[in-house]
Amino acid sequence: MGKFTNATLAAALLALSGCSTVETGWIHELTPADIEVTKATVSAHLLDPRSAHWSHMIAVRDNAYGDVTVCGMVNSKAINGGYPGMRPYRVLLQGGSSQLVSLAPPIRLWDNAAHHRGCKPHVTSERRYVK
């Protein structure tokens, strides 16, 4: 069995889950800087960012605009001090800036595959008119 790069292995695994190719994007390999920006963007919306546990971070590049949409799961302490469960998030990376697109309530673990199948490049309403 030959060696696979991380990107090739990720593409193969995500293809099995139905998320490898989307209409306008392709899997994007995150740099350490992308990961830090994503975590900082989501952490700004958590009650206790230092308690955050991160998992299942994937990214899709929008070929038309070059933006990157990062999807993943985060669990952090709630106001009662407990961990309520993993929460899906989406962050849009545009050039040097980032924007939180969504941070959902905790979901059941078996819903995680459905969340990743829905990870597609984020398109704002303004972009429909840009050529």
Side-chain angles (χ1 to χ4, degrees), residues 34-94:
D34 291 340
I35 293 170
E36 289 305 313
V37 167
T38 299
K39 286 182 176 182
T41 302
V42 175
S43 292
H45 299 274
L46 300 175
L47 290 176
D48 186 359
R50 292 176 293 166
S51 69
H53 296 276
W54 305 89
S55 69
H56 298 91
M57 192 178 294
I58 63 169
V60 179
R61 177 174 292 284
D62 180 343
N63 291 331
Y65 298 97
D67 300 337
V68 174
T69 301
V70 182
C71 301
M73 304 292 281
V74 64
N75 191 5
S76 65
K77 286 186 180 178
I79 197 163
N80 65 1
Y83 287 88
M86 298 304 275
R87 299 172 64 182
Y89 63 85
R90 286 178 67 191
V91 172
L92 178 63
L93 304 176
Q94 294 176 303

Side-chain angles (χ1 to χ4, degrees), residues 64-65 125-131:
Y65 298 97
S125 57
E126 297 86 40
R127 289 199 180 159
R128 291 185 197 147
Y129 306 105
V130 176
K131 292 184 180 184

